[in-house]
Amino acid sequence: MPSIDELLPLVAEPREDLAAEYKGWLNLAETNHKAVLAKAAIAIANHGGGYIIIGMRDDRAQLVSVSRPDEIPATAQDTVNAAIQRFATPGFHCEVYVVPHPETGVFHPVIVVPGGMTEPVMSKRDCRDVIAQNRVYIRKPGPRSEEPQTGEEWRALLRRCVQNGREDMLDSIRAIVSGRVEPVSHVPNAAAELHGYAEGARRRWQELVADLPENDEARFPHGYYEMAFKLIGAEPAPTLVELRNRLQVAQRIRLTGWTTFLDMNRPEWAPYLHEDFIEAWVGRKVDRDWLRTSAHCDFWRASRDGKLYTVRGYSEDGIPNKVPAGAAIDLTMPVWRVGEGLLFASRFAETFEGVESIAIECTFTGLKDRYLTSVDGMRAMFGDRHSRTDTVTLVGQPTVQQVQDNLTEVMQALLSPLYERFDFFEAPFELFDTELNKLRGGRF
């Protein structure tokens, strides 16, 4: 990220060029000003990145620093990105820095627009006399932001996107070969916000099971695992009906027989509205309880801003004549459980605009004194590896692209701390790679 000193020349010695756009003060509470900002950002992103500097007036071909009017609110990063997400597709994230003018002392917002786009950025909404829907804007000499008109302008844009796509592909190949996953920039407070959401969803589940007998399977008496996801940067779904539609898009792909975020047709188990959430509880008792084990009493919840939560008991605790309830964890099951949840979250993310990454929080409880085993005997396990820890929480924040291209590496980084709890067991790369290939192929 640039420092204030590095950005200072943009303010102290203002000069418009193809990578720098200067604007007067914009009130981003107004749709017209949002469109002005978004159009400039789209053009600069298509140019390969650059800067938008706010608070400069063009005075006889000279850019001068002017104070922000009292009626115009300060330019916040969230407000800038909300304006861009409203008008641009695909969405992208900008950083905002406040740089003081060395002479006037006025603090000017400097918006850093990223480059590296692998497809042209387009506008997705109209704003009269400012921006038109489904248009591509580029930077042209002047400088100005306009649609490409000539074959050469289009070829230059497409060449840039193809080159960026080639670099992304090569980076993915390098990551696979070297077994690494590049870290992403963590959004401040995202982990804390997701943790709070998970705690609220867990309290809601506890309300639902409060009247059940203490050892009821729906209360997961031997422990449970929960997964929570937050789509960083997602533009919220406008209504709960639209949220339900997006969930159903993600639910079309079923990777296992009892899939994550299950959508049941039976009225007692079907998703329903609760406050400003969609949730489902399969632990509710009905006349026929033929599948009522801890592994089939899920509770899940989804919010319009792209957060998900689910909790489920361990299937190992309900397999007759295999292992006693509460005694073991199957070697492959965490890979399948979390892998399926993360793949669902990535499909869900594709129905939103502006998603930068997926924050994850997974918690496994009831681990103390369990041992690691292969329930079906398909994997050799030597020695008894027990957990002395009862609960472990795992966190991560991959991009959607990393989930799609480097799922094995993402999962190994996320789940290794869980396996280590079992007497320092080091889960091999092959375990994740083989089981995730089976999962994606629907071989359950």
Side-chain angles (χ1 to χ4, degrees):
M1 295 297 176
S3 66
I4 297 298
D5 287 342
E6 291 171 326
L7 297 174
L8 185 60
L10 293 168
V11 172
E13 303 172 8
R15 183 179 59 188
E16 284 195 301
D17 58 34
L18 294 180
E21 173 87 355
Y22 288 81
K23 298 290 186 186
W25 288 102
L26 298 175
N27 184 350
L28 296 182
E30 297 180 6
T31 300
N32 189 71
H33 284 196
K34 292 178 183 178
V36 168
L37 175 66
K39 181 179 180 180
I42 290 170
I44 290 176
N46 284 328
H47 176 71
Y51 308 93
I52 303 173
I53 301 90
I54 306 296
M56 294 287 186
R57 185 180 69 225
D58 192 344
D59 186 5
R60 289 178 291 183
Q62 182 179 4
L63 292 163
V64 297
S65 168
V66 295
S67 299
R68 175 170 58 88
D70 292 338
E71 65 273 16
I72 293 182
T75 305
Q77 182 167 294
D78 288 347
T79 309
V80 167
N81 283 301
I84 293 171
Q85 302 302 334
R86 178 175 177 80
F87 285 96
T89 182
F92 52 90
H93 180 81
C94 294
E95 300 287 338
V96 178
Y97 297 83
V98 179
V99 181
H101 193 283
E103 295 180 2
T104 67
V106 174
F107 286 88
H108 292 273
V110 177
I111 301 167
V112 181
V113 181
M117 303 302 172
T118 58
E119 58 182 300
V121 182
M122 302 179 65
S123 57
K124 64 180 180 182
R125 285 187 173 85
D126 288 313
C127 183
R128 188 174 180 180
D129 298 329
V130 179
I131 193 171
Q133 186 179 20
N134 298 327
R135 304 293 175 86
V136 172
Y137 296 98
I138 62 172
R139 295 289 284 168
K140 293 186 179 184
R144 59 192 192 277
S145 300
E146 295 181 353
E147 295 179 67
Q149 300 293 332
T150 67
E152 182 52 39
E153 288 175 340
W154 276 108
R155 282 192 293 271
L157 172 60
L158 294 176
R159 275 197 304 269
R160 188 178 299 114
C161 292
V162 168
Q163 181 64 30
N164 292 336
R166 179 176 179 274
E167 291 302 321
D168 283 353
M169 180 185 69
L170 291 174
D171 282 345
S172 294
I173 292 172
R174 294 186 193 105
I176 292 170
V177 171
S178 63
R180 64 177 170 82
V181 178
E182 294 291 344
V184 298
S185 299
H186 285 253
V187 177
N189 302 322
E193 181 182 345
L194 179 59
H195 183 71
Y197 176 77
E199 287 187 327
R202 189 186 313 116
R203 287 194 297 270
R204 170 60 179 161
W205 165 67
Q206 290 168 342
E207 290 175 6
L208 294 172
V209 303
D211 294 333
L212 297 176
E214 185 174 347
N215 291 321
D216 192 280
E217 290 294 323
R219 300 189 71 159
F220 312 139
H222 302 290
Y224 59 83
Y225 68 97
E226 61 181 13
M227 296 182 288
F229 305 95
K230 172 179 169 59
L231 307 183
I232 305 295
E235 184 174 337
T239 64
L240 290 170
V241 172
E242 175 60 22
L243 175 62
R244 178 70 191 280
N245 292 337
R246 297 181 187 187
L247 287 166
Q248 289 177 327
V249 169
Q251 288 159 343
R252 288 174 186 167
I253 296 177
R254 297 172 60 94
L255 298 177
T256 64
W258 194 267
T259 190
T260 308
F261 300 102
L262 195 68
D263 189 340
M264 301 285 279
N265 292 324
R266 183 159 181 162
E268 297 92 339
W269 295 333
Y272 55 90
L273 301 183
H274 178 75
E275 297 176 346
D276 198 30
F277 304 100
I278 295 177
E279 62 184 38
W281 182 41
V282 190
R284 184 176 286 107
K285 278 193 172 184
V286 296
D287 294 337
R288 294 177 296 157
D289 289 339
W290 59 279
L291 275 179
R292 205 166 184 276
T293 68
S294 290
H296 300 96
C297 291
D298 305 35
F299 169 78
W300 63 259
R301 166 181 274 195
S303 65
R304 292 189 301 111
D305 59 352
K307 290 197 283 287
L308 297 165
Y309 170 89
T310 184
V311 61
R312 180 186 293 182
Y314 297 112
S315 58
E316 296 92 326
D317 295 339
I319 305 176
N321 305 318
K322 287 288 186 180
V323 292
I329 289 290
D330 183 80
L331 180 65
T332 65
M333 282 299 102
V335 180
W336 282 68
R337 292 165 181 143
V338 180
E340 185 178 27
L342 186 51
L343 287 169
F344 181 93
S346 70
R347 295 195 302 273
F348 188 51
E350 291 177 344
T351 68
F352 285 77
E353 296 183 5
V355 178
E356 302 159 21
S357 56
I358 304 173
I360 311 165
E361 179 179 297
C362 301
T363 299
F364 288 76
T365 74
L367 298 178
K368 189 174 182 181
D369 296 327
R370 287 184 186 253
Y371 62 92
L372 206 57
T373 188
S374 176
V375 172
D376 60 10
M378 297 298 291
R379 286 185 172 268
M381 288 294 298
F382 301 100
D384 292 333
R385 294 182 177 272
H386 286 80
S387 171
R388 273 71 173 176
T389 303
D390 189 65
T391 300
V392 62
T393 297
L394 315 168
V395 296
Q397 192 181 309
T399 65
V400 177
Q401 197 68 42
Q402 286 174 340
V403 174
Q404 294 172 349
D405 295 341
N406 303 106
L407 182 61
T408 300
E409 289 81 8
V410 169
M411 289 289 293
Q412 186 175 32
L414 180 66
L415 290 181
S416 287
L418 167 65
Y419 286 107
E420 289 172 354
R421 296 302 190 277
F422 291 86
D423 290 328
F424 305 102
F425 180 73
E426 186 175 359
F429 180 87
E430 179 275 333
L431 168 68
F432 296 95
D433 195 44
T434 299
E435 298 305 324
L436 290 170
N437 284 333
K438 290 180 182 178
L439 172 65
R440 282 176 146 169
R443 295 180 301 217
F444 53 88

